[in-house]
Amino acid sequence: MLLPEYRSKELLAKYGVPIPPGFLARSSNDAETLCARLNTSRYVVKSQILAGGRGLAGGVKIVDTPSAVGAEVERLLGHVLVTDQTGPRGEIVQSVYVEAALDIVDNFYLALALDSATGGVMLLASEKGGVEFEERARMDDTVYGTTIIGEDTPEERKKIKAFLSEHGMGEDAVVDLAFAARKGFIENELTLAEVNPLAKTRRGDWIAADAKAALDPNAVFRHPEFEEFAHLQHRDAIEAEAQANDINMVKLDGTIGVVVNGAGLGLAMHDMIIEAKGRPANFMDIRTTATSLKIAKGVQLLLSDPNVRCILLNVHGGGITLGDTVAEGVSVAYGHAKRKVPLVARISGQNADRGLAILKEHRLPVEVVDTMSDAVARAIALAS
Amino acid sequence: MAIIVDNSTKVLVQGMTGRAGSFYTHQAMRYGTTYVAGVNPFKPGTEHLGLPVFGSVDEAKAKTGANASLVIVPAVKAGAAMIEAIEAEIGVITCVTERVPQHDMARVKAALEGSKSVLIGPNSQGILTPEQCKIGVMPTRYALPGRIGIASRAASLTSEVVSQCSAAGLGQSTTVGIGGDSLHGLGFVDCLKLFKDDADTDAVILIGEMGGREEEDAAEYLATGDYGKPVVALIVGRHAPQGRRMGHAGTLSVFGTGSATAKADLLQRAGAVIAGNVDDVVPRIKTVLPNAAVA
C-alpha cells in the first residue's frame, strides 16, 4: 500500500531522515499564505499522486513567488495527471505538496526492502539517483548495489559506511540516515522505503528530495494511522468494490469479462487470451474465502461494463472454492443483470458437474467447453 | 518413494479446531493421511475429529511423535505459529494461511536459519504425495501416484496441471506448493535438488509466474551441471500489465525485473523445456518422457 510523497516523507522524518520544509496545500489561497513559513525564494509544487513519472508529465513545477505557487496549486488540484505509470486514465490530483526548492549538486538513490532470501532488511544504493534511475536499473543491474543492514551497532555502522562509500555516499550523515530509515521501515512494517533522489546540496547536506513508502497491506491493521490511504490504492471504483468482496480485480479495457479462481490460473488464462488476440476486460482472482454472493458481486461488475461482450468462466474447483459455489454466484449475477451477455463456461475439478448443471438450470446463455484453449477460442469468437 | 512427505509422515495441525482447520483435517484424514493431534492453547485436553488437542506444539510432538505440522491459523497468528513449530523442531512445516504480514515472515525466516525444519509456504496449497500424504488444501480427486514431480507458486493452476497430467496417465511423485508470497520457505531450487535425488521421480514440472527470483535461481542451478532429469516449466504472467499487482503478493517487484518472458528464456537456456500454456504441459512431458509408464 503506497503512501503519497508527503506522508512518506513525514514518516521517514519522524525517525530522523532529513526532508525539505514543506506543507500540504488544500487550496490556492492557503498555499500562498503558507509559503511564508518556508523561508525560501524558490518553491517546488508537487502533485500528490501515487504513480511515478510526475515530473515528466507536468505534475511538478518550480516557481519563484507565492502567487505563482497559488496559481500552480489552482491548476493542479483536481487535474487528471497522466504519466507513463498511471495508465491512460490517469490519476486525479487530490492534494498538492509545496516545498522549499533545494540547491542540489548531485542526486543519489537509497532504498530499503525485505530480502526475500533471508528475511533481512536490504539496503539498495546508487550514485545515479534521479528520475531515470528505475529505467537505468532495469537495463543494467550494476547501477546499484545491495547489502543487508542489521541492527545499529558500531560494527554494523562500519560495514554500512564502507558499502555506502562504494556508491559515493560514505559520509556519517548518510549512515545516520540509513539507520533512521531502517528503524522507520521496521516499526511501520514497510515493504519499501525509497529515497530518490537523495540530494546532496551545495552546502553539503543530504536531504530526501523525494520519498516513497509502501506499507504491507496485510499489516495495515496494526498501523491504523495509515488506513485513510487504503482507498487511494484503487485507481478504479470497480476494483475497490471487487476487493471488498474478496475478489482481486484489475480493470482492463477489453471486451471479454474473465472470471477465474486463483491468481496463477488467472494469469495463465490472461496469457492465453492475449496470445490468441483476444482482449480481456479485466483480470480476476476469486479468493478462496469468497462466497457465492461475493462472487455474484464480482460478476455483476463485469456485466454492468458496457464494453464486455461475453464472459469467460474458468474454474478449477477445489478446497473451499468448489465448482458449484462459483456457478451459483454467476447465476445470481445473471439473474440480476439487464444485459445477459453470452457465457463460455469451463469448469473442472471438484463439483464441476454440479456447477455446470446449475448454469443450465438457471437458463443462462451458456456454452460449455472442455479445455482452456477451447474456452479462449469461443470467447474471442463471441466477443468479436 | 517421494520427497519430503510419505506414508511415514505423522501430522499435527495448528489451528485444527477452526472452521478451515476442521474441514481440511477431516478431508486429509479421509484421504488416508496419518493425522495425530491438534494444537490449541485454549483447548488442551479436549478432543476434536477424534484426535487429541494439546496446548503446545512441543507437547503434541512429545505425546504423539508428530514429525510434520499443518499451520492453518488466521494471518495475524501465523508467524508465531510457524516459529513455535520451528522451535519444537518439527521436520516439515506447511503453512497454507494467506496474507501473512511480511515482517512476521522476516522473523520466521530468521528462525528457520540453521533450524531442523523445512517450511512449505505460507500462502501455499501445501504438499501432496498421492495416496500417501496430504498436508494442505489441494483437491486430491484428480491426483494420481506416479513419477512426475511438481513444484509450483500457484494453487489452482497446479490443480489444473495435476488433473491434466493424471488424465493423460502421468501420475505424480510429489506436488509441492512453494507459495505465492515473496517471503516463503522452500524454493524451486530446494525442490529441484530433492527431486533430482528421488529415484521415483523421472521428470519435474515447475509452475512459475512473473516477479520474485525463484525461476532465475532455478535457471542458475540447472545451468551449473547436468540435472539428469527433464524439467518442463510453465511460467505465466507474460502479458500481465507492468507494475500492476495481479493476484500474488510476490509478484510486485522493486525494479520491475523478473518478467515471465525473461524467466522462461533463462530456464530454456538452462536446459528446461518451456510449455507455451497450460494445455501445452502434458504434450511437453510426453516429448521429454516418450516412454513414460502410463498408470
Side-chain angles (χ1 to χ4, degrees), chain A residues 10-34:
Chain A
E10 198 177 293
L11 186 159
L12 291 171
K14 199 177 125 190
Y15 293 89
V17 173
I19 60 169
F23 61 83
L24 196 64
R26 308 243 182 227
S27 74
S28 56
N29 282 345
D30 264 13
E32 267 192 70
T33 324
L34 290 167

Side-chain angles (χ1 to χ4, degrees), chain A residues 110-128:
Chain A
L110 212 59
L112 296 169
L114 280 175
D115 174 35
S116 57
T118 62
V121 180
M122 185 166 63
L123 176 65
L124 301 90
S126 170
E127 33 189 340
K128 297 208 161 64

Side-chain angles (χ1 to χ4, degrees), chain A residues 35 101 109 121 291 311 326:
Chain A
C35 279
Y109 176 93
V121 180
T291 59
I311 301 237
V326 181

Side-chain angles (χ1 to χ4, degrees), chain A residues 149-178:
Chain A
I149 176 168
E151 299 264 348
D152 190 352
T153 63
E155 300 90 79
E156 193 65 11
R157 284 192 158 253
K158 230 170 157 179
K159 186 193 108 185
I160 294 303
K161 190 167 180 176
F163 166 76
L164 290 170
S165 301
E166 291 169 29
H167 301 280
M169 289 178 268
E171 291 184 28
D172 287 337
V174 188
V175 176
D176 288 344
L177 191 152

